[in-house]
Amino acid sequence: MLTGVYPQLDYPVVTTTSARSALSEASSATPTCMVFVAKLSRLQIEEAIRKFNLQHRSSTAMVHLSVTNGARAFVVSGAKASIEAFVSLLYKEHDTQGADQTRIIHSQRRTGVAAKYLSINAPYHCPLLTHAFEGAYTYATSKGWILGASAMRQAVRAGDDGHDIRCEDNISQYLLQSMFVLPVNWPAAVRCAGITHVVDFGPGGTSGFGVLTQRILEGQGVSVICAGAVGRQSSPLAAKADLYQSLASKLKAAVNWGQQFRPQLVRTECDGSIHISTRMSRLLGKPPVMVAGMTPSTISEVFVSAVMRAGYHIELSGGGHFSEPMLREKVDKILKLAGCGHGITVNSIYVNPFLWNIQYPAMQSMRREGIPIEGLCIGAGVPSFEVCNEIIASIRAAGFRHIGLKPSS
């Protein structure tokens, strides 16, 4: 009751006849006191808020970052007119239509943005509700609604930074502050050391806070159970039925990337020596250290073959090889110097069409002839998603073992 009544006293529901923003015109949405903003980073949304507030010196006209739901998901709060003006500013400076910018250099591309007004009538989680908070707290105190830490048996994490609110001197005051003026930082609130499961008891099912939490904790080995979801379907979330499992082994397990992909020490059976094992070392059969292709360093057959004989992975630079015979000759020299049992990886410059159109087909031809060209690194240049899939399919069919993508634009 308190969190609804007192904010409404300061921000009553009224019908506005002001000119509608670009967002409201496009989406038929009615501007409110809070807007969800996606696709921008935290630094970008904070900079946008700073620029807006520099133009609106009045404290009641400023907007505030009120909720952080993820790395690129935020809520901004303010007076209704201010939020509408802020959205117009965002749409003026950022791309809202998902325009194709692949032919525009990265530094000049417009950052994408998406915004959606929330169905709410007051600017929660920001200083604009300080007066409403004071009124609500005064009323709660007069009614004796005081909660002490001794009455709380379980830890309750704060929404702004995740600390245990039992350490607060006045929990009732803090709870009201959390609902009225303190910002919410959901990633900070759910990052608790040692947890294995998170249970979402909300009514949203697989569209509620469980999904939000799963995205934040993905890869950390923490399973999220949505108590409001009846079936799992294809979701990575566990469902209501998992709450009643008697065996922990039958629960839907979450992957811990740190455990799955971390380097490990292994001992060889033949001589008992210890080596570092990673996905790279298991693929190449070599230590997880490489000498990347770079002109002119890795053009020399003497240098490249010396690294190979030392047992490390190296890329032959495609720079300086202006014809197929030149590339074939260099590969032949390297193989003679390195000896048997070695494969060659070529770093080809995709952004240079002349070299790429010579080297890419030449590598495939050599591989089909039995020459041990085993890898391709695409250096300097970013193929489109479709082109990249075509390259992968082609070199896989030719017998290549791996591909490296090293974009620089």
Side-chain angles (χ1 to χ4, degrees):
M1 178 187 75
L2 297 180
T3 58
V5 172
Y6 282 90
Q8 292 301 320
L9 295 177
D10 290 342
Y11 293 89
V13 179
V14 295
T15 302
T16 179
T17 58
S18 63
R20 306 185 73 189
S21 69
L23 170 65
S24 57
E25 289 289 350
S27 63
S28 299
T30 301
T32 66
C33 293
M34 300 180 75
V35 64
F36 172 74
V37 181
K39 298 185 180 180
L40 298 183
S41 67
R42 187 179 187 90
L43 288 177
Q44 289 171 325
I45 191 72
E46 287 177 342
E47 177 61 17
I49 291 172
R50 186 191 68 81
K51 288 174 61 177
F52 180 86
N53 288 341
L54 283 176
Q55 303 171 14
H56 302 79
R57 294 293 186 176
S58 171
S59 60
T60 57
M62 292 183 176
V63 297
H64 304 269
L65 180 59
S66 54
V67 180
T68 300
N69 283 335
R72 293 183 179 269
F74 306 93
V75 176
V76 178
S77 298
K80 190 179 297 184
S82 297
I83 290 296
E84 189 171 9
F86 177 71
V87 169
S88 296
L89 177 66
L90 286 180
Y91 275 41
K92 184 184 299 183
E93 297 186 353
H94 300 276
D95 172 44
T96 62
Q97 304 299 322
D100 183 6
Q101 302 185 74
T102 54
R103 295 189 177 275
I104 302 174
I105 62 174
H106 193 272
S107 61
Q108 296 180 8
R109 294 178 185 176
R110 297 181 70 199
T111 308
V113 69
K116 180 181 181 182
Y117 291 120
L118 303 185
S119 180
I120 202 163
N121 296 318
Y124 286 89
H125 301 298
C126 79
L128 295 177
L129 287 190
T130 299
H131 180 262
F133 155 71
E134 292 170 349
Y137 179 63
T138 300
Y139 184 86
T141 303
S142 68
K143 291 295 184 178
W145 297 342
I146 304 299
L147 178 64
S150 59
M152 300 175 66
R153 296 186 179 183
Q154 295 293 330
V156 177
R157 302 292 175 181
D160 56 341
D161 60 8
H163 75 275
D164 188 347
I165 69 171
R166 290 180 296 180
C167 68
E168 296 291 334
D169 295 331
N170 189 327
I171 292 180
S172 296
Q173 182 185 49
Y174 182 79
L175 288 175
L176 287 171
Q177 281 181 317
S178 296
M179 290 182 277
F180 283 84
V181 298
L182 292 181
V184 173
N185 189 328
W186 193 245
V190 299
R191 285 199 176 98
C192 305
I195 63 172
T196 59
H197 293 78
V198 172
V199 182
D200 172 19
F201 288 104
T206 55
S207 300
F209 279 100
V211 175
L212 189 65
T213 305
Q214 190 273 331
R215 290 172 182 164
I216 294 169
L217 299 178
E218 186 178 14
Q220 300 180 38
V222 179
S223 297
V224 179
I225 302 173
C226 287
V230 178
R232 290 181 179 176
Q233 301 175 352
S234 58
S235 171
L237 303 168
K240 185 176 182 179
D242 291 282
L243 289 175
Y244 303 98
Q245 285 285 2
S246 58
L247 296 175
S249 59
K250 291 187 177 181
L251 287 173
K252 195 165 188 175
V255 177
N256 186 316
W257 293 342
Q259 296 289 336
Q260 184 173 0
F261 301 114
R262 68 180 181 181
Q264 296 177 320
L265 295 178
V266 295
R267 189 185 299 276
T268 57
E269 187 174 346
C270 61
D271 59 3
S273 60
I274 296 177
H275 298 271
I276 298 176
S277 175
T278 66
R279 297 188 103 186
M280 176 181 172
S281 64
R282 292 193 294 273
L283 170 68
L284 302 175
K286 298 176 181 179
V289 179
M290 66 175 287
V291 179
M294 180 58 65
T295 305
S297 301
T298 64
I299 289 180
S300 167
E301 66 272 16
V302 176
F303 180 74
V304 172
S305 60
V307 174
M308 293 168 65
R309 287 197 306 273
Y312 293 92
H313 178 63
I314 185 171
E315 297 171 350
L316 169 63
S317 175
H321 301 100
F322 303 110
S323 66
E324 181 173 341
M326 290 180 69
L327 183 60
R328 284 178 174 272
E329 181 182 3
K330 184 60 63 68
V331 169
D332 184 59
K333 288 179 179 180
I334 291 172
L335 292 175
K336 287 179 179 177
L337 291 172
C340 299
H342 295 285
I344 292 178
T345 298
V346 179
N347 184 308
S348 189
I349 304 175
Y350 181 78
V351 77
N352 187 324
F354 174 75
L355 290 180
W356 174 260
N357 290 331
I358 291 171
Q359 295 169 5
Y360 177 55
M363 285 184 279
Q364 296 181 73
S365 297
M366 286 189 283
R367 180 63 193 182
R368 291 191 180 97
E369 294 167 12
I371 299 172
I373 304 290
E374 64 176 20
L376 165 65
C377 177
I378 299 177
V382 185
S384 67
F385 183 75
E386 293 75 18
V387 171
C388 200
N389 276 328
E390 291 176 6
I391 293 173
I392 291 172
S394 296
I395 65 173
R396 178 179 288 163
F400 282 57
R401 295 181 58 204
H402 54 83
I403 184 172
L405 301 172
K406 191 175 68 171
S408 62
S409 65

